[in-house]
Amino acid sequence: MPLLIDPWSLPDPDQDLPTDAGAARTAIFGGGCFWCTEAVYTAVAGVLEVRPGYAGDSSITADYRTVCTGRTNHAEVIEITYDPAHVTYGQLLKLFFGVAHDPTQKDRQGADVGRQYRSVIFYATPEEQAVARAYMRQLDAAKIYSGPIMTALEPLTAFYVAEPEHHAYAARNPGNPYIAGVSAPKVKKLKQYFSHWLKAGG
């Protein structure tokens, strides 16, 4: 386990984006298989929608079969639409680094190996870039991981939504061995350490 403290003890970001009421925003994170990261963020209060997809390359090869070859520069990502009055960009980052994936792995997550599974934050604005970079530096300085953070910061050029069969995959396939072994423990961790951030009934 790369995190040397419990996720609850992960520090809050020193910097964050403004909490404008009534103005939905989006965040694009890649943390391995999008089935798993989608399942985490779907349960969070203030998150309005989560869509799996691809970012980091062109539309021509933005399909599951091609991306899974690892021969493109896409990453499997999720697009999180959220209400910043209820959950901030910094809080989404805290879950990204504390629950959703292992930021110390380069071009992989567990048994999923390849550039398409890289740890990456796609920023749409200079403000998002600044907040994410500052938090990564803050976490590295705290020395709370067993290794350095390998998360890439890349400008968002486009988000390509994934095929319909990948949406809500974990929720629709709880008995799938991969979901039970990889996705479910992440959601369990979220509920254990951040129950106060969950949607009602979550």
Side-chain angles (χ1 to χ4, degrees):
M1 182 67 185
L3 196 57
L4 303 178
I5 58 174
D6 66 74
W8 168 249
S9 300
L10 204 72
D12 293 325
D14 289 336
Q15 298 182 32
D16 208 339
L17 298 181
T19 56
D20 301 335
R25 294 184 185 148
T26 58
I28 308 287
F29 299 155
C33 176
F34 47 29
W35 297 344
C36 301
T37 49
E38 180 194 38
V40 170
Y41 284 100
T42 299
V44 176
V47 169
L48 306 175
E49 184 181 19
V50 185
R51 297 195 300 171
Y54 316 100
D57 210 325
S58 75
S59 61
I60 298 172
T61 51
D63 64 87
Y64 189 72
R65 183 182 297 274
T66 307
V67 171
C68 280
T69 67
R71 293 195 295 268
T72 77
N73 195 45
H74 292 98
E76 288 194 15
V77 299
I78 51 171
E79 176 196 63
I80 306 164
T81 302
Y82 67 100
D83 180 351
H86 291 91
V87 61
T88 70
Y89 185 71
Q91 288 171 325
L92 296 177
L93 286 174
K94 183 172 180 175
L95 293 178
F96 183 66
F97 287 106
V99 174
H101 84 308
D102 176 359
T104 67
Q105 295 194 37
K106 181 176 175 60
D107 293 342
R108 68 179 301 162
Q109 282 294 301
D112 295 324
V113 179
R115 283 279 292 162
Q116 68 272 31
Y117 300 116
R118 67 188 180 275
S119 173
V120 58
I121 296 167
F122 286 95
Y123 59 88
T125 66
E127 292 78 16
E128 285 184 0
Q129 180 187 24
V131 170
R133 177 181 288 131
Y135 193 42
M136 290 164 59
R137 289 174 176 170
Q138 180 185 345
L139 294 177
D140 259 337
K143 299 187 183 304
I144 54 178
Y145 294 97
S146 58
I149 291 175
M150 305 301 294
T151 304
L153 273 175
E154 301 181 24
L156 178 67
T157 55
F159 168 77
Y160 309 106
V161 65
E163 298 83 347
E165 60 266 28
H166 298 295
H167 293 240
Y169 188 91
R172 293 185 293 104
N173 298 275
N176 180 297
Y178 181 87
I179 296 301
V182 181
S183 177
K186 296 176 189 289
V187 176
K188 181 179 179 180
K189 188 188 300 184
L190 173 72
K191 293 179 177 180
Q192 178 180 356
Y193 292 104
F194 297 98
S195 59
H196 57 298
W197 285 9
L198 297 177
K199 292 175 180 174

